[in-house]
Amino acid sequence: MAQHQFQTEVSRLLHLIIHSLYSNREIFLRELVSNASDALDKLKYLTVADEAYKSVSFDPRIDISFNKDAKTLTVSDNGIGMNEADLIESLGTIARSGTRAFLEKLAEDAKKDSNLIGQFGVGFYSAFMVADKIEVISRKANEDAAWKWTSDGKEGYEIEGASRDSQGTTVILHLTEEGTEYANRWSIEDIIKRYSNHVAFPIYLTYDEKEWDDKGKEKGSKTKTDRINSGTALWRRAKNDLKPEDYNEFYKQLGHDSDEPLHYIHTKAEGTLEYSTLFYIPKKAPFDLYNVDYKPGVKLYVKRVFITDDDKELMPTYLRFVRGVIDSEDLPLNVSREILQQNKVLLNIKNASVKKLLSEFKQMADNAVTGSDEAKEKWETFVSQFNRPLKEGLYQDFSNREAIQELVRFKSSTAEGLPGKPGWTSFADYVSRMKSDQKYIYYITGGDEKTLRSSPLLEAYRAKDIEVLIMDDDIDDIVIPSLRSYRRETAGADGKTESQTWELKAVNRAGADEELGEKKNKDAEKEAKPVIEKIKKALGDRVKDVKLSRRLHDSPSCIVADENDPSVQMAQMLKAMGQTSMTDIKPILEVNGEHSIVAGLKNVDDEERIADVAGVLLDQALLVEGIKLNDPADFVKRLNRLLARQSQ
């Protein structure tokens, strides 16, 4: 029996791996199965590509068994196997990749066709989280000798001769007290179905099943062996071989959803990067869509081996509603399969996947215009459920901003839609309906659609038949100002691409009325100046300014925000988010000089009455915009005093 010490610093590294590297102890079984799959993959390739191995009998399988009394769990395969030198090289050195060395010997065309996964070494040591002793019995293909490797995971290991009927490797775990929880049929099946269900080779579990007589008494037990994995990764199968019901059933299992998906996108990329993706769009938004600690919906596999379903870097946050699978042939891992390296491979897969998803969304939108009622209903469902998170992409994803601009939808002052179904419109639809002399895309933001539609700010736009986009999502106040403009490329008469840009204008901003074409009436301004001064003096520091409005037709007053200030709604949102140190944003009050309430102050000198009228003009303007008053009781008192004077 040969005694060996672990190579440099291995003991310290092994301590970290056992106690710190993995957050879930059950990962050990995934790692052992992955190593077994690696060995089978390697032998599978050699039986085809290497004459020396073509005579090797190859009926690939992975077997798992356990013994509760002996406190052991065994994982066995009939793959390539290892000889004494391989055991020293692979199991005596941390982070040693036999697969990588194997790949380096392959020509580029052969590498493309090979299906090698994982690394035998580091993942193997995760088994010491549940075992205080591990035995590895292995026999390399085309060799007669077998070898046994034994270690307690502390200082070193022993290697001695052994016997094995055929090539392959058997790993025997001597479980700790904590590890015995995995020595049962149900735990093993659960772990395999969650982590290794789509490993290409069959995985069998051998267990003892109790037998009962007709009176319900136990009469003994019999040994059974069942296959416990599906062995086929649906996302790796050709699309032509799959039916819609195949995709739907897989989605229900993947997304834990009783409904069928709204849409699915299946892609296989070959070339510089090789990967497969299968993405689903649910019919309903996930319940935690707007939670900070939302659960990501995309699972990551590397060559059919599950890696993680809790990595928020696989998809940008605005696409967190997407469910599905990414399976990479090239994605490297660090020493633990749980933690992905920040690398260009993952970034390239992510970027390509995002572009593919946005392209599919655009196709859904186009089909809604030219397709069937079913296609229209499908797109309406998508917009109603996921329009808001898509808007987040307008300020999160600058590289895809133009594509997202074509997808987001808004309500409109000229399209109210059916009950429960708002008349959605896009930027492209809006500009196609613009008046020939109109330069801007107008919009209004706020917290309630009904309130916005009845806002006095829209009066002048309605009078001139100018469409205004109704933006009642709380996120609109953040997204749209950062967007600033809408750019669209169209094909010109000569076939060349032409680009047009329209600036976005908020109608609840000071100065927005200057584009309405209303000329200043100097006589009216001069006549209203004394009233404006009275109102400004009465309101004091409650407002930033008081101005004569050119946008009001029927209402006596309205509020707007200064060009450089956040809107009142935005200020309230920031405070709700915890920015309590933020100074109060004061609105600008615009008054309609022709309205009887405003004009009636011309000959009034009673400062108390002027203060009451000015206060009511401001407060009602705030209420109309859906803004909560700081002092509702004061508003009621002022209103009551005015009503009392009116009745005298």
Side-chain angles (χ1 to χ4, degrees), residues 395-576:
Y395 71 89
Q396 287 181 1
D397 190 353
F398 290 99
S399 61
N400 291 300
R401 174 177 272 188
E402 290 189 10
I404 300 171
Q405 280 184 342
E406 299 300 327
L407 296 172
V408 292
R409 295 294 186 264
F410 306 95
K411 297 160 188 176
S412 165
S413 62
T414 61
E416 295 192 22
L418 300 173
K421 291 186 177 181
W424 298 110
T425 191
S426 64
F427 283 132
D429 293 335
Y430 181 99
V431 299
S432 70
R433 297 191 293 264
M434 283 173 57
K435 293 178 174 294
S436 58
D437 59 345
Q438 186 178 334
K439 298 179 181 179
Y440 305 102
I441 296 175
Y442 295 104
Y443 69 93
I444 182 172
T445 59
D448 178 72
E449 178 186 356
K450 185 177 180 181
T451 299
L452 293 177
R453 289 189 182 279
S454 59
S455 172
L457 296 167
L458 301 185
E459 291 175 0
Y461 297 91
R462 285 200 184 93
K464 292 184 174 294
D465 196 26
I466 295 176
E467 183 177 7
V468 178
L469 296 178
I470 307 293
M471 301 190 180
D472 59 341
D473 277 335
D474 53 5
I475 196 173
D476 291 327
D477 256 322
I478 301 173
V479 171
I480 304 304
S482 70
L483 193 59
R484 296 186 180 181
S485 63
Y486 166 65
R487 180 174 174 270
R488 192 184 189 197
E489 292 185 350
T490 55
D494 57 357
K496 294 182 179 180
T497 301
E498 296 179 352
S499 178
Q500 285 183 282
T501 302
W502 294 270
E503 188 179 346
L504 300 171
K505 286 281 186 179
V507 303
N508 49 353
R509 289 280 176 184
D513 56 349
E514 294 175 3
E515 291 88 33
L516 288 173
E518 297 278 7
K519 294 181 180 180
K520 289 186 177 181
N521 187 324
K522 293 184 178 180
D523 292 337
E525 285 191 337
K526 184 177 180 180
E527 185 176 350
K529 186 176 181 180
V531 176
I532 298 295
E533 292 297 330
K534 290 177 181 179
I535 296 174
K536 187 183 297 187
K537 180 181 177 182
L539 292 175
D541 61 2
R542 288 190 65 193
V543 295
K544 192 167 191 175
D545 199 0
V546 179
K547 294 181 178 180
L548 185 67
S549 180
R550 288 179 291 174
R551 70 184 95 209
L552 294 175
H553 283 212
D554 302 318
S555 301
S557 62
C558 66
I559 57 164
V560 294
D562 186 88
E563 291 281 0
N564 300 316
D565 289 341
S567 66
V568 180
Q569 292 92 345
M570 180 64 176
Q572 290 182 337
M573 190 191 317
L574 292 173
K575 283 189 175 183

Side-chain angles (χ1 to χ4, degrees), residues 16 129 149:
L16 291 173
M129 292 188 296
W149 179 99

Side-chain angles (χ1 to χ4, degrees), residues 233-237 239 242 246-248 250-251 254 261 263-268 275-281 297-299 315 322-327 353 357:
L234 181 125
W235 58 86
R236 282 177 168 255
R237 293 169 59 186
K239 287 187 277 189
L242 296 169
D246 295 324
Y247 287 109
N248 293 341
F250 181 69
Y251 166 74
L254 179 77
H263 190 69
Y264 56 82
I265 305 105
H266 189 183
T267 303
K268 181 174 177 61
Y275 62 91
S276 300
T277 61
L278 176 55
F279 297 127
Y280 291 95
I281 312 303
V298 175
K299 297 175 181 286
M315 275 286 145
V322 175
R323 299 300 186 241
V325 169
I326 295 175
D327 189 353
S353 297
L357 284 165

Side-chain angles (χ1 to χ4, degrees), residues 314-325:
L314 295 177
M315 275 286 145
T317 56
Y318 72 92
L319 292 177
R320 59 189 177 274
F321 56 86
V322 175
R323 299 300 186 241
V325 169

